[in-house]
Amino acid sequence: MDRVYVALAALAGGLFSALMGWMASDDPFDARKFGGSAIRTLIAAIIFAVGYQFTHTMVTVLDLFYAFLGGAGVDAIGNRIAAKLGDGSFPLSKSPETPNEGKR
């Protein structure tokens, strides 16, 4: 059950980071970018949970705090890398645009 708490803490940290980034940007909400952050954070949460499984110790509040910060850090770093590569919503890619889009 401790693994679930660690995973939830990391997930909460990443989602919190994504929400704070959106609120600071003054841009309209983009579900694709938020979804990319959620997927990156979910992967981080799974990795944190598996990592704590191998420690064979009780999870403390400090461990949950570290997982929260780790999830936020993974989202922040992943967002910066994805933005530098030109796709801020990675791993969710944009749908291909049709050539006649917007024309009538």
Side-chain angles (χ1 to χ4, degrees):
M1 193 65 178
D2 288 343
R3 291 177 290 175
V4 173
Y5 295 140
V6 170
L8 288 176
L11 186 64
L15 294 178
F16 179 76
S17 174
L19 285 173
M20 292 296 107
W22 166 68
M23 288 174 61
S25 72
D26 293 331
D27 291 338
F29 184 76
D30 186 359
R32 185 176 292 122
K33 285 183 181 179
F34 188 77
S37 290
I39 291 173
R40 287 190 297 266
T41 302
L42 182 63
I43 292 168
I46 292 169
I47 291 171
F48 271 94
V50 169
Y52 274 100
Q53 176 184 355
F54 294 124
T55 62
H56 300 294
T57 60
M58 287 288 295
V59 175
T60 64
V61 173
L62 189 58
D63 294 325
L64 296 176
F65 181 67
Y66 288 152
F68 182 87
L69 292 179
V74 166
D75 175 60
I77 291 170
N79 189 23
R80 302 302 184 271
I81 291 170
K84 287 292 182 187
L85 294 176
D87 187 10
S89 61
F90 180 80
L92 297 177
S93 61
K94 296 180 181 178
S95 61
E97 297 179 20
T98 58
N100 294 328
E101 188 172 307
K103 296 181 182 177
R104 296 214 175 218

